[in-house]
Amino acid sequence: MISVRLALLQDAAAITTIHRSLIPRWERITAEGSRMPLDYESLSLFERWQHGGVWMSIETCAVHLNRLLAGSGIPLVAEVEGEVRAMAELYESFEPPPFGHHLELSVIAVHAEHQGEGLGTALLKYIQEMGRLMKCERITVSHGEAGEFYEKRRFRQTHSGRGVRISPQMGRVFYQAAELTDRSPNQIKGWYMPFGRYRSSRQEWDRLFPQDWAAGIPELLNPQSAHVKMTVTGGQSAILYAREADEIDCEPGDMHLACWSARPLTGQLFAAIRDWAFRSGYHRLISFMMDADLNLVGAEAQHADYTQKFYEAGVT
């Protein structure tokens, strides 16, 4: 009998074990960029994190779980006879259409030795019931790599998006930009997210302040970043987050961009973002947009190879 419940802090070890079971090989990336096989215990916290994020070590997983349980998100586990064999994480997000009030299924993982036992299906059924009780409009998956898995469980693909690369440029637009000091996610409730919405708006907000989740790992705290509250002539308000890019093909001065805005993206806001990036000395902005919005930036944004498919299911 499979039972699903809210995860607790003491589940950190079991959740880490689930994610570690899905890693076929542990490696260290040398200064020259080569990969050297190593056992798990020989890797630093950052090197473990490089294999899949916060779930790769008990230390980082516990910090992450604590933040979720404090109100950031909703962690779940599925167990059989008291043994935790699968997990999932959810974020409740309030966005304008087409997403609306929804539960974002951010993570779902089943231990490698227990695949095909119905654990994923049990988690999805529990999540859909949660969505109904919370009066959400839909359950969403913003990075549906396992599309067949979701489609078999009555999810449908609704949107797609792709990476974009934007060149900063001085523009003739009036705006004010100041450092963002308010960390509350309430200020972006109901806002659009024209840039950087790899996951739900609420989950992306949690990335802004790595000192809250990086568990003291220096490599995650050192990258250059900027947190900006912007007001553009005409009353358009936006919040920008830029973080130093770390992909292999990136160049010095490349920055990842996330943007929340009170109203849909306009030419003025786009011009203000490019001007701000130019004056900040950035080489290039790397971000993500929904395919339906690409016409808003036209030829000014170069399309990257990276793409995502988005899925959703009703809660009734």
Side-chain angles (χ1 to χ4, degrees):
M1 178 70 70
I2 300 172
S3 61
V4 178
R5 60 169 173 82
L6 184 70
L8 305 173
L9 268 180
Q10 52 261 44
D11 293 315
I15 291 172
T16 298
T17 298
I18 290 169
H19 285 270
R20 284 179 57 184
S21 76
L22 304 174
I23 305 300
R25 172 179 161 130
W26 298 96
E27 302 171 321
R28 170 174 292 161
I29 302 175
T30 67
E32 295 75 28
S34 61
R35 297 178 178 272
M36 179 173 62
L38 275 180
D39 63 276
Y40 175 84
E41 298 300 333
S42 299
L43 300 175
S44 68
L45 288 180
F46 176 65
E47 289 169 331
R48 296 173 190 175
W49 179 88
Q50 287 180 305
H51 286 79
V54 295
W55 307 276
M56 295 297 112
S57 300
I58 294 176
E59 297 88 342
T60 51
C61 185
V63 171
H64 178 64
L65 266 181
N66 187 62
R67 294 189 69 241
L68 293 175
L69 293 169
S72 173
I74 306 169
L76 302 174
V77 293
E79 57 186 7
V80 177
E81 297 180 352
E83 179 189 10
V84 173
R85 297 182 179 179
M87 59 79 67
E89 291 178 10
L90 308 167
Y91 287 83
E92 183 182 17
S93 195
F94 297 84
E95 302 179 48
F99 300 105
H101 177 202
H102 64 279
L103 268 183
E104 165 76 7
L105 175 56
S106 168
V107 178
I108 185 168
V110 179
H111 193 287
E113 295 179 359
H114 298 287
Q115 305 278 340
E117 296 179 2
L119 292 154
T121 299
L123 281 164
L124 285 179
K125 287 181 179 179
Y126 189 92
I127 289 166
Q128 288 182 300
E129 178 62 14
M130 282 184 62
R132 186 184 69 81
L133 294 174
M134 295 169 68
K135 301 186 184 306
C136 295
E137 298 172 57
R138 55 186 59 87
I139 310 297
T140 63
V141 179
S142 293
H143 190 35
E145 292 178 307
E148 185 177 345
F149 170 82
Y150 295 108
E151 289 171 356
K152 285 183 177 179
R153 289 154 181 85
R154 299 184 179 180
F155 280 73
R156 59 190 179 92
Q157 183 187 339
T158 51
H159 311 286
S160 59
R162 67 185 56 248
V164 293
R165 301 190 175 193
I166 301 164
S167 298
Q169 179 180 327
M170 184 180 292
R172 296 182 178 180
V173 58
F174 295 99
Y175 64 92
Q176 291 183 329
E179 182 181 358
L180 176 70
T181 57
D182 185 357
R183 294 191 179 193
S184 171
N186 291 331
Q187 62 191 308
I188 52 109
K189 186 176 181 178
W191 279 29
Y192 296 84
M193 193 172 182
F195 293 106
R197 192 191 183 282
Y198 295 91
R199 305 283 186 170
S200 72
S201 172
R202 178 64 183 85
Q203 183 177 0
E204 294 298 339
W205 182 265
D206 268 8
R207 302 178 192 266
L208 264 67
F209 306 102
Q211 58 267 39
D212 293 340
W213 52 262
I217 301 176
E219 294 90 341
L220 300 178
L221 297 172
N222 290 336
Q224 179 186 1
S225 64
H227 305 77
V228 175
K229 191 166 187 177
M230 177 180 286
T231 304
V232 184
T233 300
Q236 172 72 301
S237 297
I239 291 174
L240 310 180
Y241 172 54
R243 173 183 57 81
E244 184 178 359
D246 55 5
E247 286 85 352
I248 295 176
D249 61 343
C250 287
E251 301 176 16
D254 283 356
M255 302 289 284
H256 281 290
L257 171 70
C259 172
W260 294 260
S261 58
R263 300 204 303 266
L265 181 66
T266 63
Q268 277 192 317
L269 176 57
F270 184 50
I273 293 171
R274 296 181 76 196
D275 183 85
W276 167 79
F278 178 86
R279 296 177 188 275
S280 298
Y282 299 149
H283 171 257
R284 183 172 51 177
L285 296 175
I286 298 174
S287 195
F288 182 84
M289 295 187 72
M290 307 302 295
D291 284 340
D293 296 334
L294 288 173
N295 64 304
L296 299 174
V297 296
E300 303 301 332
Q302 177 186 0
H303 296 182
D305 293 335
Y306 180 77
T307 61
Q308 281 187 200
K309 293 181 180 180
F310 294 74
Y311 292 82
E312 69 174 56
V315 296
T316 55

